Amino acid sequence: MAVTQQLARIPAEYLAACRQSASASPDGDPRWDPPTSDMLDLDWAPALLARLGEVSGLDEVRLNALRQATDGDTAVDLGFLNTHPHTIGPFGPAPTALSSAQVARVSELLDQIDMHSLLAALPTDDREAGYLIGHGADHIIGGPREYLLKHFNALRDFYIDAAKRHLLVVLWWD
């Protein structure tokens, strides 16, 4: 079983209801079940996207936004989503989240990233580009460019929609 990064866009009210359910349940069940249409499986792309930004010279503001988009923030208390036997991310670090204000800012900055320019800064040979990125990118079938573009676009679009709807984003590894 592969461990991949998961994201869910949810209203603050849904998170509050899950917190309340966990508190009221004898075994801490938060009844966490966001709609699949508001979830994103980012696979193993987070580390590769960050590394691409680093080696391609992405400015620190946008690089930090890209990292925040995949790392989240620990300011939102999600301890109730990390309680056995109902842990949503049992194979990775504790779940994190971004507030709707953070989501709006990250969305704005992700939308300013020119992914084609970042990819153009890589060596033309896919294997060499993969070695430069590291994290196994040299073994991606079809090459790292297509993989990174697909996952970046999905991440950016996910955040743009979350920002438009004033939603929070919860992140975990599963």
Side-chain angles (χ1 to χ4, degrees), residues 44-60 62-64 66-67 70 110 113-126 128-137 140 143-153 155:
W44 300 299
L48 287 89
L49 288 168
R51 181 68 179 141
L52 172 64
E54 292 166 4
V55 301
S56 298
L58 185 61
D59 66 273
E60 281 301 311
R62 284 160 194 78
L63 182 57
N64 287 337
L66 180 58
R67 287 182 181 135
T70 59
L110 289 178
I113 294 174
D114 181 354
M115 184 54 72
H116 292 288
S117 292
L118 296 183
L119 294 170
L122 292 175
T124 55
D125 178 76
D126 279 344
E128 194 177 323
Y131 285 134
L132 181 62
I133 293 168
H135 304 284
I140 295 173
R145 283 177 182 77
E146 182 179 326
Y147 177 87
L148 290 168
L149 183 61
K150 173 186 168 188
H151 285 85
F152 175 78
N153 287 342
L155 179 67

CSV table of all heavy atoms in Angstrom, one decimal, residues 44-60 62-64 66-67 70 110 113-126 128-137 140 143-153 155:
chain,number,residue,atom,x,y,z
A,44,TRP,N,2.9,11.4,-4.4
A,44,TRP,CA,4.2,11.7,-3.7
A,44,TRP,C,4.7,13.0,-4.3
A,44,TRP,O,5.9,13.4,-4.1
A,44,TRP,CB,5.2,10.6,-4.0
A,44,TRP,CG,4.8,9.3,-3.5
A,44,TRP,CD1,4.6,9.0,-2.2
A,44,TRP,CD2,4.6,8.1,-4.2
A,44,TRP,NE1,4.2,7.6,-2.1
A,44,TRP,CE2,4.2,7.1,-3.4
A,44,TRP,CE3,4.7,7.8,-5.6
A,44,TRP,CZ2,4.0,5.8,-3.8
A,44,TRP,CZ3,4.5,6.5,-6.0
A,44,TRP,CH2,4.1,5.5,-5.1
A,45,ALA,N,3.9,13.8,-4.9
A,45,ALA,CA,4.3,15.1,-5.5
A,45,ALA,C,4.8,16.2,-4.6
A,45,ALA,O,5.7,17.0,-5.1
A,45,ALA,CB,3.2,15.6,-6.4
A,46,PRO,N,4.4,16.3,-3.4
A,46,PRO,CA,4.9,17.5,-2.6
A,46,PRO,C,6.4,17.7,-2.5
A,46,PRO,O,6.8,18.8,-2.8
A,46,PRO,CB,4.3,17.2,-1.2
A,46,PRO,CG,3.1,16.4,-1.5
A,46,PRO,CD,3.4,15.5,-2.6
A,47,ALA,N,7.1,16.7,-2.2
A,47,ALA,CA,8.6,16.9,-2.2
A,47,ALA,C,9.2,17.2,-3.5
A,47,ALA,O,10.1,18.0,-3.6
A,47,ALA,CB,9.3,15.6,-1.6
A,48,LEU,N,8.7,16.6,-4.5
A,48,LEU,CA,9.2,16.8,-5.9
A,48,LEU,C,8.9,18.3,-6.4
A,48,LEU,O,9.7,18.9,-7.0
A,48,LEU,CB,8.6,15.8,-6.9
A,48,LEU,CG,9.2,14.4,-6.8
A,48,LEU,CD1,8.4,13.6,-5.8
A,48,LEU,CD2,9.2,13.7,-8.1
A,49,LEU,N,7.6,18.7,-6.1
A,49,LEU,CA,7.3,20.1,-6.4
A,49,LEU,C,8.1,21.1,-5.7
A,49,LEU,O,8.6,22.1,-6.3
A,49,LEU,CB,5.8,20.3,-6.1
A,49,LEU,CG,4.8,19.6,-7.0
A,49,LEU,CD1,3.4,19.7,-6.5
A,49,LEU,CD2,4.8,20.2,-8.4
A,50,ALA,N,8.4,20.9,-4.4
A,50,ALA,CA,9.2,21.8,-3.7
A,50,ALA,C,10.6,21.8,-4.2
A,50,ALA,O,11.2,22.9,-4.4
A,50,ALA,CB,9.2,21.5,-2.2
A,51,ARG,N,11.1,20.7,-4.5
A,51,ARG,CA,12.5,20.6,-5.1
A,51,ARG,C,12.6,21.2,-6.4
A,51,ARG,O,13.6,21.9,-6.7
A,51,ARG,CB,12.9,19.1,-5.1
A,51,ARG,CG,14.3,18.9,-5.7
A,51,ARG,CD,15.4,19.4,-4.7
A,51,ARG,NE,16.7,19.2,-5.3
A,51,ARG,CZ,17.7,20.0,-5.2
A,51,ARG,NH1,17.6,21.1,-4.5
A,51,ARG,NH2,18.8,19.7,-5.8
A,52,LEU,N,11.6,21.1,-7.3
A,52,LEU,CA,11.5,21.7,-8.6
A,52,LEU,C,11.6,23.2,-8.4
A,52,LEU,O,12.4,23.9,-9.0
A,52,LEU,CB,10.3,21.4,-9.3
A,52,LEU,CG,10.0,22.2,-10.6
A,52,LEU,CD1,11.1,21.9,-11.6
A,52,LEU,CD2,8.7,21.9,-11.2
A,53,GLY,N,10.8,23.8,-7.4
A,53,GLY,CA,10.9,25.2,-7.1
A,53,GLY,C,12.3,25.6,-6.7
A,53,GLY,O,12.7,26.7,-7.1
A,54,GLU,N,12.9,24.8,-5.9
A,54,GLU,CA,14.3,25.2,-5.4
A,54,GLU,C,15.3,25.2,-6.6
A,54,GLU,O,16.0,26.2,-6.7
A,54,GLU,CB,14.7,24.2,-4.4
A,54,GLU,CG,14.0,24.2,-3.1
A,54,GLU,CD,14.2,23.0,-2.2
A,54,GLU,OE1,15.1,22.1,-2.5
A,54,GLU,OE2,13.6,22.9,-1.1
A,55,VAL,N,15.3,24.1,-7.4
A,55,VAL,CA,16.3,24.0,-8.4
A,55,VAL,C,16.0,25.0,-9.6
A,55,VAL,O,17.0,25.3,-10.3
A,55,VAL,CB,16.6,22.6,-8.9
A,55,VAL,CG1,17.0,21.7,-7.7
A,55,VAL,CG2,15.4,22.0,-9.6
A,56,SER,N,14.8,25.4,-9.7
A,56,SER,CA,14.4,26.2,-10.9
A,56,SER,C,14.5,27.7,-10.5
A,56,SER,O,14.1,28.6,-11.3
A,56,SER,CB,13.0,25.9,-11.4
A,56,SER,OG,13.0,24.6,-11.8
A,57,GLY,N,14.8,28.0,-9.3
A,57,GLY,CA,14.9,29.4,-8.8
A,57,GLY,C,13.6,30.1,-8.5
A,57,GLY,O,13.6,31.4,-8.7
A,58,LEU,N,12.6,29.4,-8.1
A,58,LEU,CA,11.4,30.0,-7.7
A,58,LEU,C,11.6,30.9,-6.5
A,58,LEU,O,12.3,30.6,-5.6
A,58,LEU,CB,10.3,29.0,-7.4
A,58,LEU,CG,8.9,29.4,-7.0
A,58,LEU,CD1,8.3,30.1,-8.2
A,58,LEU,CD2,8.1,28.2,-6.6
A,59,ASP,N,11.1,32.1,-6.6
A,59,ASP,CA,11.3,33.1,-5.5
A,59,ASP,C,10.8,32.5,-4.2
A,59,ASP,O,9.9,31.7,-4.1
A,59,ASP,CB,10.7,34.5,-5.8
A,59,ASP,CG,9.2,34.4,-5.9
A,59,ASP,OD1,8.7,34.1,-6.9
A,59,ASP,OD2,8.6,34.6,-4.8
A,60,GLU,N,11.3,33.0,-3.1
A,60,GLU,CA,11.0,32.5,-1.7
A,60,GLU,C,9.5,32.6,-1.4
A,60,GLU,O,9.0,31.7,-0.7
A,60,GLU,CB,11.9,33.2,-0.7
A,60,GLU,CG,13.3,32.6,-0.6
A,60,GLU,CD,13.4,31.1,-0.3
A,60,GLU,OE1,12.7,30.7,0.7
A,60,GLU,OE2,14.1,30.5,-1.0
A,62,ARG,N,6.8,32.5,-3.3
A,62,ARG,CA,6.0,31.5,-4.0
A,62,ARG,C,6.4,30.1,-3.6
A,62,ARG,O,5.6,29.2,-3.4
A,62,ARG,CB,6.0,31.7,-5.5
A,62,ARG,CG,5.1,32.9,-5.9
A,62,ARG,CD,5.5,33.5,-7.2
A,62,ARG,NE,4.8,34.8,-7.4
A,62,ARG,CZ,5.2,35.9,-6.8
A,62,ARG,NH1,6.3,36.0,-6.1
A,62,ARG,NH2,4.5,37.0,-7.0
A,63,LEU,N,7.7,29.9,-3.3
A,63,LEU,CA,8.2,28.6,-2.9
A,63,LEU,C,7.6,28.3,-1.5
A,63,LEU,O,7.2,27.2,-1.3
A,63,LEU,CB,9.8,28.6,-2.8
A,63,LEU,CG,10.4,27.3,-2.4
A,63,LEU,CD1,10.0,26.2,-3.3
A,63,LEU,CD2,11.9,27.5,-2.4
A,64,ASN,N,7.6,29.3,-0.6
A,64,ASN,CA,7.0,29.1,0.7
A,64,ASN,C,5.5,28.8,0.6
A,64,ASN,O,5.0,28.0,1.3
A,64,ASN,CB,7.3,30.3,1.6
A,64,ASN,CG,8.7,30.3,2.1
A,64,ASN,OD1,9.4,29.3,2.1
A,64,ASN,ND2,9.2,31.5,2.5
A,66,LEU,N,4.1,27.3,-2.0
A,66,LEU,CA,4.0,25.9,-2.5
A,66,LEU,C,4.2,25.0,-1.3
A,66,LEU,O,3.5,24.0,-1.2
A,66,LEU,CB,5.0,25.7,-3.6
A,66,LEU,CG,5.1,24.4,-4.2
A,66,LEU,CD1,3.8,24.0,-4.9
A,66,LEU,CD2,6.2,24.4,-5.3
A,67,ARG,N,5.2,25.2,-0.5
A,67,ARG,CA,5.4,24.3,0.7
A,67,ARG,C,4.2,24.4,1.6
A,67,ARG,O,3.8,23.3,2.1
A,67,ARG,CB,6.7,24.8,1.4
A,67,ARG,CG,7.9,24.4,0.6
A,67,ARG,CD,9.2,24.9,1.5
A,67,ARG,NE,10.4,24.6,0.7
A,67,ARG,CZ,11.4,25.4,0.6
A,67,ARG,NH1,11.4,26.6,1.2
A,67,ARG,NH2,12.5,25.1,0.0
A,70,THR,N,1.3,22.2,0.7
A,70,THR,CA,1.5,20.8,0.8
A,70,THR,C,1.8,20.4,2.3
A,70,THR,O,1.7,19.2,2.6
A,70,THR,CB,2.5,20.2,-0.1
A,70,THR,OG1,3.8,20.9,0.1
A,70,THR,CG2,2.0,20.4,-1.6
A,110,LEU,N,0.0,30.5,-5.7
A,110,LEU,CA,0.1,29.3,-6.6
A,110,LEU,C,-0.3,29.7,-8.0
A,110,LEU,O,0.3,29.3,-9.0
A,110,LEU,CB,-0.8,28.2,-6.1
A,110,LEU,CG,-0.4,27.4,-4.9
A,110,LEU,CD1,-1.3,26.3,-4.5
A,110,LEU,CD2,1.1,26.9,-5.0
A,113,ILE,N,2.5,31.2,-10.1
A,113,ILE,CA,3.7,30.4,-10.5
A,113,ILE,C,3.5,29.9,-11.9
A,113,ILE,O,2.5,29.4,-12.3
A,113,ILE,CB,3.8,29.1,-9.5
A,113,ILE,CG1,4.1,29.6,-8.1
A,113,ILE,CG2,4.9,28.2,-10.1
A,113,ILE,CD1,4.1,28.5,-7.1
A,114,ASP,N,4.6,30.2,-12.7
A,114,ASP,CA,4.6,29.8,-14.1
A,114,ASP,C,5.3,28.4,-14.2
A,114,ASP,O,6.6,28.4,-14.2
A,114,ASP,CB,5.4,30.8,-14.9
A,114,ASP,CG,5.4,30.5,-16.4
A,114,ASP,OD1,5.0,29.4,-16.8
A,114,ASP,OD2,5.9,31.3,-17.2
A,115,MET,N,4.5,27.4,-14.1
A,115,MET,CA,5.1,26.0,-14.0
A,115,MET,C,5.9,25.7,-15.3
A,115,MET,O,6.9,25.0,-15.2
A,115,MET,CB,4.0,25.0,-13.8
A,115,MET,CG,4.5,23.6,-13.6
A,115,MET,SD,5.8,23.4,-12.3
A,115,MET,CE,4.8,23.5,-10.8
A,116,HIS,N,5.4,26.2,-16.4
A,116,HIS,CA,6.2,25.9,-17.7
A,116,HIS,C,7.6,26.5,-17.6
A,116,HIS,O,8.5,25.8,-18.1
A,116,HIS,CB,5.4,26.4,-18.9
A,116,HIS,CG,4.1,25.6,-19.1
A,116,HIS,ND1,4.1,24.3,-19.6
A,116,HIS,CD2,2.8,25.9,-18.9
A,116,HIS,CE1,2.8,23.9,-19.6
A,116,HIS,NE2,2.0,24.8,-19.2
A,117,SER,N,7.7,27.6,-17.0
A,117,SER,CA,9.1,28.2,-16.9
A,117,SER,C,9.9,27.4,-16.0
A,117,SER,O,11.1,27.2,-16.2
A,117,SER,CB,9.0,29.7,-16.4
A,117,SER,OG,8.4,30.5,-17.4
A,118,LEU,N,9.3,27.0,-14.9
A,118,LEU,CA,10.1,26.2,-13.9
A,118,LEU,C,10.6,24.9,-14.6
A,118,LEU,O,11.7,24.5,-14.4
A,118,LEU,CB,9.3,25.8,-12.7
A,118,LEU,CG,8.8,27.0,-11.8
A,118,LEU,CD1,8.1,26.5,-10.6
A,118,LEU,CD2,10.0,27.9,-11.4
A,119,LEU,N,9.7,24.2,-15.3
A,119,LEU,CA,10.0,23.0,-16.0
A,119,LEU,C,11.1,23.2,-17.1
A,119,LEU,O,11.9,22.4,-17.3
A,119,LEU,CB,8.8,22.3,-16.5
A,119,LEU,CG,7.8,21.8,-15.5
A,119,LEU,CD1,6.5,21.4,-16.1
A,119,LEU,CD2,8.4,20.7,-14.6
A,120,ALA,N,11.0,24.4,-17.7
A,120,ALA,CA,12.0,24.7,-18.8
A,120,ALA,C,13.4,24.9,-18.2
A,120,ALA,O,14.3,24.7,-19.0
A,120,ALA,CB,11.5,25.9,-19.6
A,121,ALA,N,13.5,25.2,-17.0
A,121,ALA,CA,14.8,25.4,-16.3
A,121,ALA,C,15.5,24.1,-16.1
A,121,ALA,O,16.7,24.1,-15.7
A,121,ALA,CB,14.6,26.2,-15.0
A,122,LEU,N,14.8,23.0,-16.2
A,122,LEU,CA,15.4,21.6,-15.9
A,122,LEU,C,16.2,21.2,-17.1
A,122,LEU,O,16.0,21.7,-18.3
A,122,LEU,CB,14.3,20.6,-15.7
A,122,LEU,CG,13.5,20.7,-14.4
A,122,LEU,CD1,12.3,19.7,-14.4
A,122,LEU,CD2,14.3,20.5,-13.2
A,123,PRO,N,17.1,20.3,-16.9
A,123,PRO,CA,17.9,19.7,-18.1
A,123,PRO,C,16.8,19.1,-19.0
A,123,PRO,O,15.8,18.6,-18.6
A,123,PRO,CB,18.7,18.6,-17.4
A,123,PRO,CG,18.9,19.1,-16.0
A,123,PRO,CD,17.6,19.8,-15.6
A,124,THR,N,17.2,19.1,-20.3
A,124,THR,CA,16.2,18.6,-21.3
A,124,THR,C,16.0,17.0,-21.2
A,124,THR,O,15.0,16.5,-21.5
A,124,THR,CB,16.7,18.9,-22.7
A,124,THR,OG1,18.0,18.5,-23.0
A,124,THR,CG2,16.6,20.4,-23.0
A,125,ASP,N,17.1,16.3,-20.8
A,125,ASP,CA,17.0,14.9,-20.6
A,125,ASP,C,16.2,14.6,-19.4
A,125,ASP,O,16.5,15.0,-18.3
A,125,ASP,CB,18.4,14.3,-20.5
A,125,ASP,CG,18.3,12.8,-20.3
A,125,ASP,OD1,18.1,12.1,-21.3
A,125,ASP,OD2,18.5,12.4,-19.1
A,126,ASP,N,15.1,13.8,-19.5
A,126,ASP,CA,14.2,13.5,-18.4
A,126,ASP,C,14.9,12.8,-17.3
A,126,ASP,O,14.6,13.1,-16.1
A,126,ASP,CB,13.0,12.6,-18.9
A,126,ASP,CG,11.9,13.4,-19.5
A,126,ASP,OD1,11.9,14.6,-19.3
A,126,ASP,OD2,11.0,12.8,-20.2
A,128,GLU,N,18.1,13.0,-16.5
A,128,GLU,CA,19.0,14.0,-15.8
A,128,GLU,C,18.1,14.9,-15.0
A,128,GLU,O,18.5,15.3,-13.9
A,128,GLU,CB,19.8,14.7,-16.9
A,128,GLU,CG,20.9,15.6,-16.3
A,128,GLU,CD,21.7,16.2,-17.5
A,128,GLU,OE1,21.9,15.6,-18.5
A,128,GLU,OE2,22.1,17.4,-17.2
A,129,ALA,N,17.0,15.4,-15.5
A,129,ALA,CA,16.1,16.2,-14.8
A,129,ALA,C,15.6,15.5,-13.5
A,129,ALA,O,15.5,16.1,-12.4
A,129,ALA,CB,14.9,16.6,-15.6
A,130,GLY,N,15.3,14.2,-13.6
A,130,GLY,CA,14.8,13.5,-12.5
A,130,GLY,C,15.9,13.3,-11.4
A,130,GLY,O,15.6,13.4,-10.2
A,131,TYR,N,17.2,13.1,-11.8
A,131,TYR,CA,18.3,13.1,-10.9
A,131,TYR,C,18.4,14.4,-10.1
A,131,TYR,O,18.7,14.4,-8.9
A,131,TYR,CB,19.6,12.7,-11.6
A,131,TYR,CG,19.7,11.3,-12.0
A,131,TYR,CD1,20.2,11.0,-13.3
A,131,TYR,CD2,19.4,10.3,-11.1
A,131,TYR,CE1,20.3,9.7,-13.7
A,131,TYR,CE2,19.6,8.9,-11.5
A,131,TYR,CZ,20.0,8.6,-12.8
A,131,TYR,OH,20.1,7.4,-13.2
A,132,LEU,N,18.3,15.5,-10.9
A,132,LEU,CA,18.4,16.8,-10.2
A,132,LEU,C,17.3,17.1,-9.2
A,132,LEU,O,17.6,17.6,-8.1
A,132,LEU,CB,18.3,17.9,-11.3
A,132,LEU,CG,18.5,19.3,-10.8
A,132,LEU,CD1,19.9,19.6,-10.2
A,132,LEU,CD2,18.3,20.3,-12.0
A,133,ILE,N,16.1,16.6,-9.5
A,133,ILE,CA,15.0,16.8,-8.6
A,133,ILE,C,15.1,15.8,-7.4
A,133,ILE,O,14.8,16.2,-6.3
A,133,ILE,CB,13.6,16.6,-9.3
A,133,ILE,CG1,13.4,17.7,-10.3
A,133,ILE,CG2,12.5,16.5,-8.3
A,133,ILE,CD1,12.3,17.4,-11.3
A,134,GLY,N,15.6,14.6,-7.7
A,134,GLY,CA,15.7,13.6,-6.6
A,134,GLY,C,14.4,13.0,-6.2
A,134,GLY,O,13.4,13.1,-7.0
A,135,HIS,N,14.4,12.4,-5.0
A,135,HIS,CA,13.1,11.8,-4.5
A,135,HIS,C,12.6,10.8,-5.5
A,135,HIS,O,11.3,10.6,-5.5
A,135,HIS,CB,12.1,12.8,-4.1
A,135,HIS,CG,12.6,13.9,-3.2
A,135,HIS,ND1,12.7,13.7,-1.9
A,135,HIS,CD2,12.9,15.2,-3.4
A,135,HIS,CE1,13.1,14.8,-1.3
A,135,HIS,NE2,13.3,15.7,-2.2
A,136,GLY,N,13.4,10.1,-6.3
A,136,GLY,CA,12.9,9.1,-7.2
A,136,GLY,C,12.3,9.6,-8.5
A,136,GLY,O,11.7,8.9,-9.2
A,137,ALA,N,12.4,10.9,-8.7
A,137,ALA,CA,11.8,11.5,-9.9
A,137,ALA,C,12.4,10.9,-11.2
A,137,ALA,O,11.8,11.0,-12.3
A,137,ALA,CB,12.0,13.0,-9.9
A,140,ILE,N,10.1,8.1,-12.7
A,140,ILE,CA,8.7,8.3,-13.0
A,140,ILE,C,8.5,8.0,-14.5
A,140,ILE,O,9.2,8.5,-15.4
A,140,ILE,CB,8.3,9.8,-12.8
A,140,ILE,CG1,8.4,10.1,-11.3
A,140,ILE,CG2,7.0,10.1,-13.3
A,140,ILE,CD1,8.2,11.6,-11.0
A,143,GLY,N,8.4,10.5,-17.4
A,143,GLY,CA,9.2,11.6,-17.1
A,143,GLY,C,8.7,12.5,-16.0
A,143,GLY,O,7.4,12.5,-15.8
A,144,PRO,N,9.5,13.2,-15.4
A,144,PRO,CA,9.1,14.1,-14.3
A,144,PRO,C,8.2,15.3,-14.7
A,144,PRO,O,7.4,15.8,-14.0
A,144,PRO,CB,10.4,14.5,-13.6
A,144,PRO,CG,11.4,14.4,-14.6
A,144,PRO,CD,11.0,13.3,-15.5
A,145,ARG,N,8.5,15.8,-15.9
A,145,ARG,CA,7.8,17.0,-16.3
A,145,ARG,C,6.2,16.8,-16.4
A,145,ARG,O,5.5,17.6,-15.8
A,145,ARG,CB,8.2,17.5,-17.7
A,145,ARG,CG,9.6,18.1,-17.7
A,145,ARG,CD,10.0,18.5,-19.1
A,145,ARG,NE,11.3,19.1,-19.1
A,145,ARG,CZ,12.5,18.4,-18.9
A,145,ARG,NH1,12.5,17.1,-18.8
A,145,ARG,NH2,13.6,19.1,-18.9
A,146,GLU,N,5.8,15.8,-17.0
A,146,GLU,CA,4.4,15.5,-17.1
A,146,GLU,C,3.7,15.3,-15.7
A,146,GLU,O,2.7,15.8,-15.4
A,146,GLU,CB,4.1,14.3,-18.0
A,146,GLU,CG,2.7,14.0,-18.2
A,146,GLU,CD,2.5,12.8,-19.2
A,146,GLU,OE1,3.3,12.6,-20.1
A,146,GLU,OE2,1.5,12.0,-18.9
A,147,TYR,N,4.4,14.5,-14.9
A,147,TYR,CA,4.0,14.2,-13.6
A,147,TYR,C,3.8,15.5,-12.7
A,147,TYR,O,2.8,15.7,-12.1
A,147,TYR,CB,4.9,13.2,-12.9
A,147,TYR,CG,4.6,12.9,-11.5
A,147,TYR,CD1,3.8,11.8,-11.2
A,147,TYR,CD2,5.2,13.6,-10.4
A,147,TYR,CE1,3.5,11.5,-9.9
A,147,TYR,CE2,4.9,13.3,-9.1
A,147,TYR,CZ,4.1,12.2,-8.8
A,147,TYR,OH,3.8,11.9,-7.5
A,148,LEU,N,4.9,16.3,-12.8
A,148,LEU,CA,4.9,17.5,-11.9
A,148,LEU,C,3.8,18.6,-12.4
A,148,LEU,O,3.2,19.2,-11.6
A,148,LEU,CB,6.3,18.2,-11.9
A,148,LEU,CG,7.3,17.4,-11.1
A,148,LEU,CD1,8.7,17.9,-11.4
A,148,LEU,CD2,7.0,17.4,-9.6
A,149,LEU,N,3.7,18.7,-13.8
A,149,LEU,CA,2.7,19.6,-14.3
A,149,LEU,C,1.3,19.2,-13.9
A,149,LEU,O,0.5,20.0,-13.5
A,149,LEU,CB,2.9,19.7,-15.8
A,149,LEU,CG,1.9,20.7,-16.5
A,149,LEU,CD1,2.2,22.1,-16.0
A,149,LEU,CD2,2.1,20.6,-18.0
A,150,LYS,N,1.1,17.9,-14.1
A,150,LYS,CA,-0.3,17.4,-13.7
A,150,LYS,C,-0.6,17.6,-12.3
A,150,LYS,O,-1.7,18.1,-11.9
A,150,LYS,CB,-0.3,15.9,-14.0
A,150,LYS,CG,-1.6,15.2,-13.6
A,150,LYS,CD,-1.5,13.7,-13.8
A,150,LYS,CE,-2.6,13.0,-13.1
A,150,LYS,NZ,-2.4,11.5,-13.1
A,151,HIS,N,0.3,17.3,-11.4
A,151,HIS,CA,0.1,17.4,-9.9
A,151,HIS,C,0.0,18.9,-9.5
A,151,HIS,O,-0.8,19.3,-8.6
A,151,HIS,CB,1.0,16.6,-9.1
A,151,HIS,CG,0.7,15.2,-9.2
A,151,HIS,ND1,1.1,14.3,-10.2
A,151,HIS,CD2,0.0,14.4,-8.4
A,151,HIS,CE1,0.7,13.1,-10.0
A,151,HIS,NE2,0.0,13.1,-8.9
A,152,PHE,N,0.9,19.7,-10.1
A,152,PHE,CA,0.8,21.2,-9.7
A,152,PHE,C,-0.5,21.8,-10.2
A,152,PHE,O,-1.1,22.5,-9.4
A,152,PHE,CB,2.0,21.9,-10.4
A,152,PHE,CG,1.8,23.4,-10.1
A,152,PHE,CD1,2.2,23.9,-8.9
A,152,PHE,CD2,1.3,24.3,-11.1
A,152,PHE,CE1,2.0,25.3,-8.6
A,152,PHE,CE2,1.1,25.6,-10.8
A,152,PHE,CZ,1.5,26.1,-9.6
A,153,ASN,N,-0.9,21.5,-11.4
A,153,ASN,CA,-2.2,22.0,-11.9
A,153,ASN,C,-3.4,21.6,-11.0
A,153,ASN,O,-4.2,22.4,-10.7
A,153,ASN,CB,-2.4,21.6,-13.3
A,153,ASN,CG,-1.6,22.4,-14.3
A,153,ASN,OD1,-1.0,23.4,-14.0
A,153,ASN,ND2,-1.4,21.8,-15.5
A,155,LEU,N,-3.2,20.7,-7.8
A,155,LEU,CA,-3.0,21.4,-6.5
A,155,LEU,C,-3.5,22.9,-6.7
A,155,LEU,O,-4.3,23.3,-5.8
A,155,LEU,CB,-1.6,21.4,-6.1
A,155,LEU,CG,-1.2,22.1,-4.8
A,155,LEU,CD1,-1.9,21.3,-3.6
A,155,LEU,CD2,0.3,22.2,-4.6
